[in-house]
Amino acid sequence: MPQINILPKHIAELIAAGEVVERPASIVKEIMENAIDAGADKITLEIKRGGITYIRITDNGCGIDRDNIRKAFISHATSKISTVDDLNAICTLGFRGEALASIAAVSRVEVMTRGENEDVGTRYCIEGGEETVLDEAGCPKGTTLIVRDLFYNTPARMKFLKKDASEATFVADTVLHTALSHPEISFRFLRDGKQQYVTPGDGDLRSAVYAVLGREFARDLLAVDGGSELYHVTGLVTPPRACRASRGAQHFFVNGRYVKNRTMM
């Protein structure tokens, strides 16, 4: 587990984004990216009521050492960068160190984690930004993070959330994009107790598409692979006979990140 450092003020000011948790999908995106950065090759996500009342994300990554668990929930605490020069060579999905602090400020968070070199894991609970539990726990290597009762202490923000089904759709889209951008990782997605899909994590994009988008969609896809010294493009496209009436089934990724770009679409 890399050391978590609290960034100096002059570095934090360069990257501060005023991280705001808008909806359950925001939490899912941030925590799944943390799991990927932690080296996980298996990630399980479970949500209830669209993620408003319950989100659980489990990974088999490097985990968080007990000495670092409190730091992880301090704003601008990160293991991804430590100097200004690191900003020019970022190779992780996350790096600002704002997500966990923002999530814990508006929900009840429970973490079960064990670092690679630890014999006993750690259970850490924090509600509304206030620590409630820090204790030993038996758990496998990796991290399980549970988020309950989103916006329980800021009810005014609840009115901006949509119906449970709509919020669940936003979460599903986030998981879909993450699964397609990382076919080398096995993703398992459960919604209100029902398993939606499991990707094999074999590194084959077509296998991930098959698991996430279905057999009919994956069957006719044609491989794309080409580029130049500066850019290389790979992916899958449908033949003309299988085209869609909208751009909703187009998904673009740059260096493992989902992007929206009108020119490409």
Side-chain angles (χ1 to χ4, degrees):
M1 170 65 196
Q3 180 68 29
I4 295 176
N5 303 302
I6 300 174
L7 295 178
K9 187 172 184 292
H10 70 282
I11 298 179
E13 288 175 346
L14 292 175
I15 62 174
E19 184 72 36
V20 175
V21 176
E22 296 179 347
R23 52 178 18 103
S26 307
I27 294 175
V28 169
K29 174 181 180 295
E30 296 290 347
I31 303 306
M32 289 181 71
E33 288 182 352
N34 280 351
I36 294 170
D37 289 340
D41 59 16
K42 291 183 180 179
I43 299 174
T44 299
L45 166 68
E46 180 181 0
I47 63 170
K48 295 177 183 177
R49 284 197 56 204
I52 298 171
T53 60
Y54 185 86
I55 299 171
R56 179 172 61 86
I57 301 178
T58 300
D59 69 68
N60 64 345
C62 65
I64 306 173
D65 295 336
R66 187 171 305 154
D67 293 340
N68 281 318
I69 192 68
R70 283 193 175 106
K71 288 183 184 178
F73 286 86
I74 298 174
S75 187
H76 300 302
T78 179
S79 62
K80 318 294 176 63
I81 62 174
S82 57
T83 68
V84 172
D85 293 338
D86 292 340
L87 295 175
N88 296 320
I90 293 171
C91 57
T92 56
L93 293 172
F95 62 92
R96 295 192 311 264
E98 295 179 286
L100 288 179
S102 298
I103 293 167
V106 293
S107 63
R108 309 181 201 274
V109 176
E110 178 180 354
V111 182
M112 299 277 285
T113 185
R114 180 165 70 85
E116 294 177 297
N117 301 317
E118 292 184 316
D119 296 326
V120 179
T122 301
R123 177 173 178 254
Y124 184 66
C125 299
I126 180 170
E127 298 184 4
E130 298 294 328
E131 176 186 315
T132 58
V133 175
L134 175 60
D135 202 357
E136 295 182 350
C139 58
K141 183 180 78 73
T143 301
T144 294
L145 188 141
I146 300 172
V147 180
R148 295 183 175 91
D149 304 328
L150 181 60
F151 299 145
Y152 81 97
N153 56 348
T154 54
R157 295 177 63 180
M158 285 290 291
K159 66 181 181 181
F160 294 102
L161 296 179
K162 298 184 181 299
K163 293 181 179 179
D164 295 355
S166 297
E167 293 299 336
T169 298
F170 291 135
V171 171
D173 286 344
T174 300
V175 182
L176 180 148
H177 295 147
T178 309
L180 293 183
S181 62
H182 292 84
E184 75 282 4
I185 299 174
S186 175
F187 291 89
R188 183 177 180 225
F189 178 38
L190 298 96
R191 175 175 169 179
D192 293 321
K194 297 181 180 179
Q195 180 171 289
Q196 303 298 296
Y197 53 75
V198 179
T199 64
D202 58 3
D204 184 355
L205 177 59
R206 191 181 294 271
S207 298
V209 172
Y210 184 99
V212 175
L213 297 174
R215 180 178 63 182
E216 295 300 319
F217 185 85
R219 182 182 57 190
D220 297 327
L221 292 174
L222 306 173
V224 174
D225 192 339
S228 63
E229 293 182 0
L230 291 177
Y231 306 102
H232 191 78
V233 178
T234 61
L236 298 166
V237 297
T238 57
R241 68 176 181 276
C243 68
R244 299 293 182 92
S246 72
R247 299 186 179 97
Q250 293 183 355
H251 309 287
F252 296 97
F253 307 91
V254 177
N255 296 335
R257 291 180 181 271
Y258 172 71
V259 298
K260 285 186 177 181
N261 185 286
R262 290 187 177 274
T263 302
M264 289 192 292
M265 295 177 76

